[in-house]
Amino acid sequence: MAADVSVHGRLPLPVDTVRRVVHHVLAQEGRDAEVSVTFLGRDRMRDLNQRYKGRNAATDVLAFALPDPSGVVGDVYLCPWVARREAQARGVALEEEVIRLLVHGTLHVLGYDHPEEQRTESAMWKRQERYVGNLT
């Protein structure tokens, strides 16, 4: 399986940038995968978050790895509305925050995880921020 990235929805970044970010993470991790990235509005993201995580609020990113005998297949859902709020709170550009979320979701698809508390101190977060630094 080769690295394949499909992109859907109303994009806050050019499709080539989205693909470049996901491909960068896959290449750095030495992994091939099929990853679908979908950008959703806050209502749709809230619905997905409620359905799969039991939280009745829009979230920034959700990622799901799907079983496939030939390798990793995954879906990443990203909400630009939440990303915009988080970018403002962090004092960073929207592009940087979306890149962060793309990296974060891709790492989840590859099997990385972090604790809910102290997630910014986790090994996954440190890996993510290294990639974000390379991409921005």
Side-chain angles (χ1 to χ4, degrees), residues 34-52:
E34 289 183 20
V35 179
S36 172
V37 177
T38 303
F39 292 90
L40 301 173
R42 73 178 169 191
D43 292 339
R44 183 74 175 111
M45 184 60 107
R46 184 190 64 240
D47 293 345
L48 281 179
N49 200 23
Q50 174 66 42
R51 174 189 256 175
Y52 293 102

Side-chain angles (χ1 to χ4, degrees), residues 53-115:
K53 299 291 184 176
R55 298 180 187 130
N56 190 23
T59 190
D60 51 7
V61 63
L62 289 171
F64 304 94
L66 308 171
D68 189 283
S70 64
V72 177
V73 177
D75 292 326
V76 176
Y77 297 93
L78 217 142
C79 181
W81 185 85
V82 175
R84 189 170 292 106
R85 286 184 26 209
E86 289 179 2
Q88 290 170 344
R90 291 181 202 274
V92 300
L94 176 61
E95 179 178 356
E96 179 181 330
E97 189 63 17
V98 171
I99 288 171
R100 177 172 287 105
L101 296 173
L102 287 166
V103 170
H104 191 88
T106 303
L107 288 173
H108 273 309
V109 165
L110 295 177
Y112 289 95
D113 207 357
H114 55 80

